[in-house]
Amino acid sequence: MQVSVETTQGLERRITISVPADSIDSAVKSRLQQLAKTQRINGFRPGKVPVSVIQKRFGQAVRQEVAGEAMQRNFYEAVVKEKLNPAGMPRFEMKKDVSGEDLEFVASFEVYPELEIQGLDKIKLEKPVVEITDKDLADMLDTLRKQHASWKEVKRKAKKDDRVTISFVGTIDGEEFEGGKAEDFPLELGKDRMIPGFEKPLVGAKKGDEVVSDVTFPEDYHAENLKGKDAQFTITVSKVEGLELPKVDEEFAKTFGIEDGDVEALNVEVRKNMQRELDQTLKAKLKEDVIAGLLESNTLDLPAALVEQEVNALREQAKQRFQQQSGGKVDNMPELPADLFEENAKRRVSIGLILGEIIKNNDIKVDDAKVEQLIETTASAYEDPQEVIDYYKSNNELLQQIQNVALEEQAVEWVVSQAKVKEVKKPFDEIMNKQA
């Protein structure tokens, strides 16, 4: 086998390979002889068909098959010999395929870029130090109470976060318009679910009041005939309701799976969940900052094949999300254009290449203890953690995914060990509000 390599442009390589004629011709002859033993052709006894007849009928197809296999095999032998690292599948082009002469073909492909990770000492990281206080716990319990609150009618003026039941009629230049009328319509104040200005006169209104709301429809409103139009709504309030929060008692604790209703046990469980969410948020933020620092200091030439693969993966994820949201109806969904995903795809490919190089250069191996920790953290959010742990460990694909996550986290931790890190005290609420 003779090999010559040419750099055409950037990461593109063109490799010309010649395969000795006798290796191809002998393989073709052997395969034709095998066919002669198995083919049934009228006028010949089974196994007695002359090779010349088989050659005439099947020779071209057999040669194409042998040549295709030879191109694949010799290509991979060549890239190993030349120490090339292909990114994506090659494009083959046959140059010469004649019996009795050397087979010659060309393979065009991209290689992975050669990386030398830079700027590690220039990465500056802020590492928040956060303590969950009793006030944080109390605030979280209040949030949980609001999530389990019920509406109760009140005899007072409506205020923000109340729910009012209203009937309204909308007019433009004194004329009612389609879609501008409703009866017994429930509306939570302060959620901004109506067009701007609609709710304003309802704050301070009480049951039986009639108020008027002057509004202007936004220029990007979905109804073409209403865009930018001034309108007036006459609104009648038939009910005002306020949220009634449950007490933090035995019954409330049982709602969250505390079977004996122990409120202190509920506090412990809520604090544990808060700590888990905090740890995950801090880890994600630190990783985000590390990656931003790496990308800032390392600009890469990216193989188009890898970017295309990532675009396709992101497109498929978007399709699946749409499928879930639409109840599985994606039959008429148009193909989303690649440029919607290209920037994100390039970023993800860059991150993968950089972290992969860090893992390789520093011989970072998967830490089994970290894998266990990741699985246990994931499982802790479920009702039966052990069942989830067993499922992960029995599913090789899921286990491999977790191992990849662990390896990536270890690479990030290594970068953190090389960077300039400053610890800063931060309140829990600030960190989690930014996350929200």
Side-chain angles (χ1 to χ4, degrees):
M1 177 181 68
Q2 294 182 347
V3 179
S4 66
V5 181
E6 176 188 359
T7 298
T8 54
Q9 180 181 331
L11 299 174
E12 293 179 357
R13 300 291 183 272
R14 179 182 169 91
I15 184 169
T16 302
I17 302 174
S18 295
V19 184
D22 58 352
S23 68
I24 301 297
D25 293 343
S26 62
V28 171
K29 182 179 179 181
S30 174
R31 202 160 295 186
L32 289 172
Q33 289 172 342
Q34 291 297 319
L35 280 173
K37 295 176 182 179
T38 59
Q39 290 299 309
R40 292 180 177 273
I41 297 178
N42 293 336
F44 299 95
R45 286 184 296 165
K48 299 296 183 179
V49 182
V51 174
S52 60
V53 175
I54 295 295
Q55 166 71 39
K56 186 175 181 180
R57 181 169 291 193
F58 301 107
Q60 185 176 358
V62 167
R63 187 169 186 87
Q64 287 177 350
E65 185 179 89
V66 169
E69 294 172 0
M71 285 194 293
Q72 292 281 352
R73 182 176 61 256
N74 284 274
F75 168 74
Y76 289 111
E77 289 178 4
V79 296
V80 170
K81 177 184 175 183
E82 299 295 328
K83 298 180 180 179
L84 299 171
N85 191 7
M89 297 299 294
R91 300 185 306 278
F92 290 121
E93 179 186 354
M94 183 66 73
K95 286 297 184 182
K96 186 169 64 173
D97 182 16
V98 179
S99 179
E101 298 184 25
D102 289 354
L103 178 78
E104 185 176 304
F105 67 95
V106 172
S108 301
F109 56 98
E110 293 176 294
V111 295
Y112 282 89
E114 294 183 6
L115 302 182
E116 185 177 344
I117 306 301
Q118 300 175 345
L120 293 175
D121 58 336
K122 297 179 182 177
I123 297 177
K124 296 180 180 180
L125 301 172
E126 183 178 278
K127 190 174 183 180
V129 178
V130 185
E131 178 187 356
I132 299 176
T133 65
D134 291 342
K135 181 181 182 304
D136 295 325
L137 176 61
D139 290 343
M140 181 58 69
L141 287 171
D142 280 344
T143 299
L144 295 175
R145 290 172 69 204
K146 289 176 182 176
Q147 291 173 355
H148 290 76
S150 56
W151 294 107
K152 183 178 180 180
E153 188 169 1
V154 294
K155 296 179 179 180
R156 57 167 172 75
K157 294 179 179 180
K159 60 183 182 180
K160 185 182 175 184
D161 296 328
D162 282 348
R163 183 171 73 176
V164 293
T165 301
I166 58 176
S167 299
F168 58 83
V169 177
T171 60
I172 295 177
D173 297 330
E175 297 290 333
E176 292 186 22
F177 58 90
E178 186 178 354
K181 186 176 182 179
E183 297 284 339
D184 296 326
F185 181 81
L187 175 65
E188 290 184 48
L189 300 178
K191 304 298 183 185
D192 295 327
R193 292 174 181 166
M194 306 298 280
I195 60 175
F198 183 92
E199 292 183 11
K200 187 175 180 180
L202 289 170
V203 176
K206 61 183 185 299
K207 180 178 179 179
D209 282 356
E210 182 178 283
V211 298
V212 175
S213 179
D214 294 309
V215 302
T216 300
F217 282 94
E219 292 292 344
D220 59 353
Y221 195 66
H222 61 84
E224 191 68 33
N225 62 317
L226 298 177
K227 289 182 177 180
K229 294 289 183 65
D230 293 329
Q232 187 175 77
F233 286 91
T234 301
I235 310 170
T236 302
V237 180
S238 58
K239 188 191 293 185
V240 178
E241 297 171 290
L243 277 174
E244 187 173 62
L245 303 182
K247 295 180 179 179
V248 181
D249 55 13
E250 183 177 326
E251 183 178 349
F252 186 71
K254 288 181 178 179
T255 303
F256 294 92
I258 308 299
E259 294 182 1
D260 61 2
D262 185 354
V263 172
E264 186 53 40
L266 172 65
N267 290 340
V268 171
E269 185 66 23
V270 171
R271 187 184 285 271
K272 184 172 72 174
N273 290 339
M274 291 171 68
Q275 187 66 55
R276 183 180 67 245
E277 294 294 327
L278 174 63
D279 291 343
Q280 291 177 348
T281 299
L282 293 175
K283 184 193 295 184
K285 180 63 170 63
L286 185 62
K287 179 181 177 181
E288 181 183 315
D289 292 344
V290 165
I291 287 172
L294 289 170
L295 291 176
E296 186 177 348
S297 301
N298 297 272
T299 302
L300 312 181
D301 286 333
L302 301 178
L306 297 187
V307 175
E308 183 180 356
Q309 289 174 17
E310 198 63 41
V311 164
N312 290 335
L314 290 170
R315 181 190 278 131
E316 184 60 29
Q317 290 171 14
K319 183 177 178 181
Q320 290 175 2
R321 286 195 299 270
F322 182 81
Q323 188 172 18
Q324 293 170 355
Q325 294 167 2
S326 63
K329 299 177 181 179
V330 294
D331 294 340
N332 298 322
M333 182 178 176
E335 182 81 338
L336 295 171
D339 57 6
L340 285 177
F341 309 100
E342 190 168 354
E343 184 177 348
N344 193 16
K346 287 180 177 179
R347 186 176 190 274
R348 288 173 60 154
V349 171
S350 296
I351 293 167
L353 292 175
I354 292 171
L355 291 180
E357 190 70 13
I358 289 171
I359 290 167
K360 182 182 73 173
N361 288 346
N362 296 281
D363 196 26
I364 300 174
K365 306 295 183 184
V366 175
D367 184 347
D368 291 336
K370 180 172 281 292
V371 173
E372 292 278 346
Q373 181 187 29
L374 287 170
I375 294 175
E376 289 174 3
T377 300
T378 301
S380 66
Y382 291 83
E383 187 175 344
D384 187 347
Q386 190 57 49
E387 182 180 352
V388 177
I389 291 171
D390 293 341
Y391 180 69
Y392 266 89
K393 291 185 176 181
S394 65
N395 187 310
N396 288 333
E397 186 176 344
L398 282 177
L399 188 58
Q400 182 64 54
Q401 290 177 8
I402 290 291
Q403 288 172 341
N404 291 341
V405 171
L407 200 55
E408 194 173 90
E409 286 192 4
Q410 289 171 240
V412 169
E413 289 168 1
W414 183 87
V415 175
V416 171
S417 71
Q418 306 298 307
K420 297 175 181 177
V421 182
K422 179 182 179 182
E423 292 190 346
V424 181
K425 287 188 176 182
K426 296 277 187 178
F428 174 85
D429 188 54
E430 178 183 334
I431 296 294
M432 300 310 289
N433 277 344
K434 282 185 178 180
Q435 164 74 1

